[in-house]
Amino acid sequence: MKVKLEIFDQLKKVTYYTIRLNSDKKTEIEKFVDRFQNSDYKFDLDVILTLLKIIGNERGAQDRFFRPEKQAHALPSRNALNSINAKSTDFPLRLYYIRLNDQIVILGGGGVKESLLYQNSPDCYPHIQRLLKFNDVFTEAV
């Protein structure tokens, strides 16, 4: 798998990177946004994008805002939703990423979580598996 790391957004406290796979026309985060911007999950997508802006401009990528999923993380977490007074129940959309520190986050893709475990959610599982493979290659290279 050929992977390219690109800057997605550089905010006051966080630089968000994303990955482009095998010379795809769009990055993983672009595919995620395109897929859900005109769907039944548009509200959920807007909340996730709002959280990325708030975390990036005001709070930094503090561990407490992220939901751990093995070596990766997912948005939204209960703490992140509570921080913007959003209801934390029944929020099935997940965006997966790797948090390197409070200033650097690598965004992947995501999907609709249909089960308590991402492994049992066919829409989420491939996205987090791809990100975990990237994390292994990235960690080895560093």
Side-chain angles (χ1 to χ4, degrees), residues 41 44 76 89-96 111-114 124:
Y41 300 99
D44 296 18
T89 59
D90 206 25
F91 202 99
L93 193 61
R94 295 287 187 274
L95 173 63
Y96 296 103
V112 178
K113 191 171 177 192
E114 301 161 345
C124 289

Side-chain angles (χ1 to χ4, degrees), residues 22-90:
N22 303 320
S23 301
D24 286 351
K25 289 184 180 183
K26 295 189 178 191
T27 64
E28 292 300 290
I29 186 65
E30 289 169 335
K31 292 179 207 174
F32 176 77
V33 170
D34 285 354
R35 181 175 171 209
F36 293 107
Q37 69 182 349
N38 294 313
S39 75
D40 292 342
Y41 300 99
K42 179 165 180 11
F43 174 80
D44 296 18
L45 174 65
D46 289 345
V47 168
I48 288 172
L49 295 175
T50 297
L51 286 170
L52 288 174
K53 291 272 188 217
I54 291 170
I55 290 166
N57 280 320
E58 299 172 16
R59 301 189 176 142
Q62 299 169 33
D63 206 27
R64 67 188 177 104
F65 292 121
F66 305 116
R67 176 189 303 265
E69 300 278 1
K70 285 195 169 189
Q71 294 88 6
H73 292 85
L75 264 180
S77 71
R78 203 167 271 135
N79 282 339
L81 290 171
N82 289 341
S83 75
I84 62 168
N85 297 318
K87 291 185 179 181
S88 61
T89 59
D90 206 25

